[in-house]
Amino acid sequence: MLKRYDLWIGGKWRQAEQYEMLYAPYNGEELALIAQATPAEAEEAIVEAHAAYESYKRMPASQRSRILFRVAEAIEARREELAGIIAREAAKPMTAARAEIARTVETYRFSAEAAKNITGEQVAMDAAEGGQGKIGFTVRTPIGVVTAITPFNFPFNLVAHKVGPALAAGNAVVVKPAEQTPISALVLAELFAEAGLPAGVLAIVTGKGAELGEKLSSHPLVKKVSFTGSHAVGELIQRHAGLRRTTLELGSNSALIIDEGTNIDDILARCVAGAYAYNGQVCISLQRILVHRSLYEDFAARFAQAAKQLSVGAPLDDKTELTSLISEKAAHRVAAWVEEAAASGASVVAGGRMVEGEGNHIFAATVLTDVPRSAKVWSEEIFGPVAVIMPFDELEEAVRAINESRYGLQAGIYTANIHHAMAAALELEAGGVVINDIPTFRTDQMPYGGVKDSGKGTEGVAYAVEEMTQLKLIAIHLRK
Ligand code: NAD
């Protein structure tokens, strides 16, 4: 029988007023009935989370840590089943879904470790004239209810990047997962309950972002909104959130420089993976590749050849490398942007069309050259299996072209020239620069966050914990 998922509020499943059917993107299979919370139900979740926070904030770090370790273990034990959930609801190829679960386990383990390392520092009070006779130090305290609004593309690990640090810090958290990927979040309810998390500290409210966003970002009991998703929604959330804390992890059109002298054999497979892993629906997907003119033609031909050879199929098939985009709407948008580029002079050297005869809305791995920099495929985030290749002569020219973007999440450079590596690292406007690998690189403890329209704030477990705690000064006047 088809499963029905209710709302997880106050440590219990609560029946909702409305439900909607969730369908698999690849074949339209009915997956489950999902509760569609109303703003009033979201408010209930916030109020109950706040009540639970009042005692959770006093739970010793050792216990918070143990709960997070237990959840990591439980996820690891059920890894194949949970990867299957991602593959079905997000149309993520199984190999990528397994990799996401492995990273999720790490994210919760890093969170468990972070819970035990929330510390302050001594302040040299007598360094100031008026400070003598005083001892000062800082402590980090929990802040209260955090809301976590998450995207579809890493439905386990990006929820973990908010839930893990929030709970490590002693906060309560209300999760609103993406419409397309609710089950990956809902399974956490029982995992955390079984691990010993007190009722109410974690709430999961499924439903429409557009209906719930304002409540989740502006309720007075919400002390921080941690959002990952598109720039347009991030901006709305910031407006609703006003002065309260926000972390906004937004989109990008990540770029890679391939410098003179690079051995194409060494990097080709990485570049193809960077552009097409999970159909290019990764926030740091490799979208723009700037190749030194001496390598340009050879690289473009070989990259296009490799793109054409990716194996297209069902997400649950281990061999599949490319499959359905998350929705028909997303596929139409990708197709329209590719058409716009072609109409303005770009050459389509691979793909450029929907794949017929397989699952729903699969867009072929696409390679474009001669793209005008005004085209959306260059200047905006495509979020699909499309890579643009462009030649350059001087490094400065490549850096300038990359920096024209309104986004700046991560960038990469392949080079054996230390001066070029350092110039790129220092000059590229991005939250992170990867030398001798693609920009599509992330491990879960490293600082991660964008500049410009890619957002504000930093994730990476320990950094997120910092942003989810309050730094408080304690000053003691010493009696003579
Ligand atoms: P999205 O912005 O459409 O949705 C993200 C979340 O916001 C969903 O839960 C959705 O329900 C919710 N939402 C929608 N409208 C809302 C509103 N008005 N108020 C509040 N919440 C609302 O993004 P998506 O399509 O799920 O994900 C793709 C985007 O996420 C891409 O731009 C991608 O680059 C970005 N992303 C960024 C990172 C990062 O770490 N920087 C990581 C992954 C994805």
Side-chain angles (χ1 to χ4, degrees), residues 149-154 158 176-180 207-214 217 227-234 236-237 240 248-252 281-284 326 381 383 409 442 448-450 454 459:
I149 303 177
T150 54
F152 75 83
N153 64 337
F154 284 85
L158 292 181
K176 208 303 282 170
E179 284 87 332
Q180 304 91 325
K208 305 253 177 324
E211 283 167 30
L212 304 176
E214 184 171 353
S217 316
F227 172 74
T228 301
S230 60
H231 175 265
V233 173
L236 266 177
I237 286 177
H240 290 312
L248 304 175
E249 297 278 354
L250 311 178
S252 188
Q281 299 169 121
V282 177
C283 49
I284 40 177
I326 194 69
E381 177 186 44
F383 220 59
L409 191 47
R442 182 177 186 189
Y448 186 80
S454 290
E459 288 197 334

Side-chain angles (χ1 to χ4, degrees), residues 81 100 108 138 153 206 239 286 330 439:
E81 171 208 342
E100 179 176 346
Y108 282 118
T138 59
N153 64 337
T206 49
R239 226 171 288 145
L286 178 50

Side-chain angles (χ1 to χ4, degrees), residues 172-242:
V173 58
V174 177
V175 180
K176 208 303 282 170
E179 284 87 332
Q180 304 91 325
T181 55
I183 302 174
S184 298
L186 287 161
V187 295
L188 287 181
E190 273 154 13
L191 288 174
F192 270 102
E194 282 159 19
L197 187 72
V201 175
L202 168 68
I204 304 168
V205 289
T206 49
K208 305 253 177 324
E211 283 167 30
L212 304 176
E214 184 171 353
K215 182 65 73 186
L216 293 170
S217 316
S218 64
H219 192 283
L221 289 176
V222 170
K223 298 302 175 215
K224 176 179 173 119
V225 187
S226 179
F227 172 74
T228 301
S230 60
H231 175 265
V233 173
E235 216 169 29
L236 266 177
I237 286 177
Q238 184 64 63
R239 226 171 288 145
H240 290 312

Side-chain angles (χ1 to χ4, degrees), residues 6 59 66 70 79 93 97 107 164 206 218 226 243 257 280 369 411 419 465:
D6 296 338
M59 180 185 275
R66 220 171 297 134
R70 281 191 206 122
R79 58 187 176 272
T107 302
T206 49
S218 64
S226 179
L243 285 181
I257 297 173
T369 57
H419 305 293
V465 166

